[in-house]
Amino acid sequence: MIITDKIYSAGTLPPLGTIPEKMHAWTIRSERFGSPLTAFRDEIVDIPALRPDEVLVANISAGINYNAIWAARGKPKNVIEANGTYGDAKQDFHICGSEAAGIVYAVGDEVTNVKVGDHVIISASKYNKNCPFILNGGEPEYSPSYHMWGYEGNWGAFSQFSKVSDYQCVPKPESMDWDEAAVCCATGTTVNRMLRHWEENRIRENDVVLIWGGAGGLGSSAIQQVRAYGGIPVAVVSSAQRGEYCISLGAKGYIDRTRYTHWGNICGLDEAGVRQWSLQAARFRNEIYTIVGKRVNPMIVVEHPGSDTLATSLFVCAGRGMVVLCGATTGHTASIDLRHLWIYQKRIQGSHAGSADDLKEYLRLRREHDFIPSVSRVYSWDELPQAHADMERGSDLMGKYAVRIVPDDVL
Ligand SMILES: NC(=O)c1ccc[n+]([C@@H]2O[C@H](COP(=O)([O-])OP(=O)(O)OC[C@H]3O[C@@H](n4cnc5c(N)ncnc54)[C@H](OP(=O)(O)O)[C@@H]3O)[C@@H](O)[C@H]2O)c1
């Protein structure tokens, strides 16, 4: 391995086997917390040293994910304060990014699963594999050391190189382009876990699945995965154009949420308010029946808006079914009518990211089924803050966004 003090400009790559001392990275610092347009800055930082079980990956493409918006705001969590807590030296900057695909440039002495030159997708699930919980046979995703790469912990995807643990590296299928591969990590994988991880509520053939934000990142992946498992995806969207996009991905139909107003807090509604809420929720549920062609409630509701929608999700969910929630874009407090939970014995299940095994299952699904590419726009390196601002604004973009770190003509 050759170490060089030469800095390679963004969009270029050193020859394989050459590791620069420094790299370009989009950093967040606490004095810049706020809009992604100003919170991110392209800086030159040291490339971190590897521990024996770590891998240095040259990122080729990275996925845009909502967690970098939270990180840029510094709320609800100051990720910079937390970034020294996972075994790495504390830095006063944070490199975000939980989705990437790239080329292995260096490996620590103990790494055996990948070698220099391998093309890999990086799983976002990170943990200390030597923590007592895991050594005693506990699932890593429930370990106290479990955290999200590129959000909780520094050295994420928005840099020329990332330092990751060996178990995070999964071979990239050659048939997948770099951008599609990058966005598997915290989207395809997260959805796969939501649909399959909880034994009693694992997706089965002909299950109706309601998918909020069907035209968004998680939603567009959920539609395709539900279809591949033989389920019936019903999307919720905010315009007919977004609904038609969902249908092109395989949704059975869509509900335009802008035709309803019963969103948000249901605590403290007076009698008339409860009646209004119930009428709208029932009309919403009837739309599902119309789309499906029979009175069948969703066995799974893929939840992530949170505050605005949880009460409706629980209401429409089938008895013994599951509302599975992995985010809270509209706010992280919510109210529900508890009767909808216990009388029909439904489940509200939290879900976070996915394991390397969930990623492998997602890749298997893609290999065996006809998936339509979900990346709708690829931004350049310089446009990374804008990509996040577009996501924050909820722009007209559909599917996933990626940032290309090294263009094809350089590879
Ligand atoms: N825990 C995890 O591992 C994990 C992984 C990935 C993402 N997430 C979280 O999941 C959330 C969604 O991520 P994403 O990548 O899919 O984001 P995205 O691409 O921005 O999609 C979110 C979708 O939500 C819909 N939406 C927005 N406001 C809404 C409202 N008030 N009511 C209902 N729907 C609304 C929008 O669709 P319409 O306007 O068309 O309805 C939008 O397309 C984020 O909060 C993210 O942090 C968590």
Side-chain angles (χ1 to χ4, degrees), residues 64-67 69-70 99 146 148 186-187 190-191 212-220 236-239 242-243 255 257 263 303-306 308-309 325-330 351-354 391-392 394-395 397-401:
I64 302 299
N65 189 279
Y66 228 93
N67 64 16
I69 296 170
W70 309 125
E99 304 188 282
Y146 182 72
M148 186 90 160
T187 307
T190 303
V191 169
W212 291 99
L218 284 173
S220 57
V236 187
V237 291
S238 57
S239 71
R242 294 173 80 73
I255 300 174
R257 68 179 168 90
W263 310 121
E303 241 297 346
H304 49 86
D308 274 3
T309 53
L325 177 143
C326 73
T329 315
T330 63
S351 187
H352 193 35
M391 178 177 249
E392 186 179 40
S395 77
L397 290 183
M398 293 184 270
K400 279 291 290 184
Y401 324 157

Side-chain angles (χ1 to χ4, degrees), residues 61-64 99 176-189 191 213-225 227 242 245-246 248-250 362-363 366 370-379 391 396-403:
S61 180
I64 302 299
E99 304 188 282
M176 243 177 157
D177 73 37
W178 286 105
D179 308 307
E180 282 293 317
V183 305
C184 289
C185 317
T187 307
T189 312
V191 169
L218 284 173
S220 57
S221 185
I223 290 171
Q224 303 212 60
Q225 292 192 54
R227 190 183 47 122
R242 294 173 80 73
Y245 172 68
C246 295
S248 75
L249 298 176
Y362 171 63
L363 293 174
R366 279 194 73 124
D370 224 8
F371 273 54
I372 295 161
S374 58
V375 175
S376 60
R377 175 158 175 194
V378 180
Y379 292 82
M391 178 177 249
D396 290 339
L397 290 183
M398 293 184 270
K400 279 291 290 184
Y401 324 157
V403 163

Side-chain angles (χ1 to χ4, degrees), residues 29-315:
R29 290 182 183 271
S30 46
E31 61 270 23
R32 300 198 301 263
F33 278 155
S35 160
L37 290 174
T38 46
F40 285 109
R41 191 167 295 167
D42 183 352
E43 289 190 50
I44 292 177
V45 301
D46 288 345
I47 293 186
L50 295 184
R51 289 197 288 258
D53 63 349
E54 288 184 326
V55 176
L56 190 71
V57 177
N59 295 313
I60 305 302
S61 180
I64 302 299
N65 189 279
Y66 228 93
N67 64 16
I69 296 170
W70 309 125
R73 289 178 190 165
K75 288 179 191 158
K77 179 171 171 170
N78 179 334
V79 287
I80 300 163
E81 266 173 14
N83 79 15
T85 51
Y86 301 107
D88 289 326
K90 190 162 170 52
Q91 310 284 346
D92 56 0
F93 62 85
H94 189 83
I95 302 171
C96 234
S98 303
E99 304 188 282
I103 301 172
V104 173
Y105 258 63
V107 295
D109 291 343
E110 292 172 8
V111 174
T112 55
N113 61 326
V114 287
K115 58 183 188 318
V116 171
D118 284 356
H119 294 184
V120 292
I121 300 176
I122 302 170
S123 159
S125 285
K126 209 158 159 55
Y127 46 84
N128 171 6
K129 62 188 179 194
N130 295 316
C131 83
F133 178 87
I134 295 174
L135 291 178
N136 283 329
E139 264 186 72
E141 287 71 35
Y142 299 121
S143 145
S145 67
Y146 182 72
H147 58 284
M148 186 90 160
W149 171 64
Y151 180 63
E152 301 154 300
N154 209 347
W155 310 115
F158 300 149
S159 52
Q160 288 178 298
F161 292 89
S162 287
K163 179 175 87 89
V164 301
S165 296
D166 50 3
Y167 59 78
Q168 288 181 263
C169 298
V170 172
K172 175 181 106 49
E174 282 312 310
S175 58
M176 243 177 157
D177 73 37
W178 286 105
D179 308 307
E180 282 293 317
V183 305
C184 289
C185 317
T187 307
T189 312
T190 303
V191 169
N192 195 269
R193 188 176 182 84
M194 293 169 87
L195 296 176
R196 286 181 59 257
H197 191 72
W198 289 278
E199 194 67 41
E200 268 190 48
N201 293 93
R202 186 173 275 190
I203 182 165
R204 292 183 184 84
E205 227 172 301
N206 294 322
D207 276 353
V208 174
V209 179
L210 184 74
I211 300 166
W212 291 99
L218 284 173
S220 57
S221 185
I223 290 171
Q224 303 212 60
Q225 292 192 54
V226 168
R227 190 183 47 122
Y229 283 122
I232 303 170
V234 175
V236 187
V237 291
S238 57
S239 71
Q241 190 203 4
R242 294 173 80 73
E244 290 308 317
Y245 172 68
C246 295
I247 287 183
S248 75
L249 298 176
K252 177 87 173 158
Y254 65 87
I255 300 174
D256 184 341
R257 68 179 168 90
T258 63
R259 294 193 289 105
Y260 296 84
T261 55
H262 66 299
W263 310 121
N265 188 12
I266 60 169
C267 278
L269 290 180
D270 60 15
E271 214 176 298
V274 170
R275 204 167 36 250
Q276 273 310 313
W277 188 91
S278 303
L279 281 172
Q280 291 213 40
R283 182 160 66 85
F284 184 91
R285 184 182 56 190
N286 289 343
E287 275 209 65
I288 301 174
Y289 297 159
T290 305
I291 289 166
V292 176
K294 48 189 171 187
R295 277 179 80 87
V296 180
N297 289 50
M299 278 310 288
I300 301 180
V301 179
V302 173
E303 241 297 346
H304 49 86
S307 191
D308 274 3
T309 53
L310 187 64
T312 303
S313 293
L314 188 61
F315 174 75

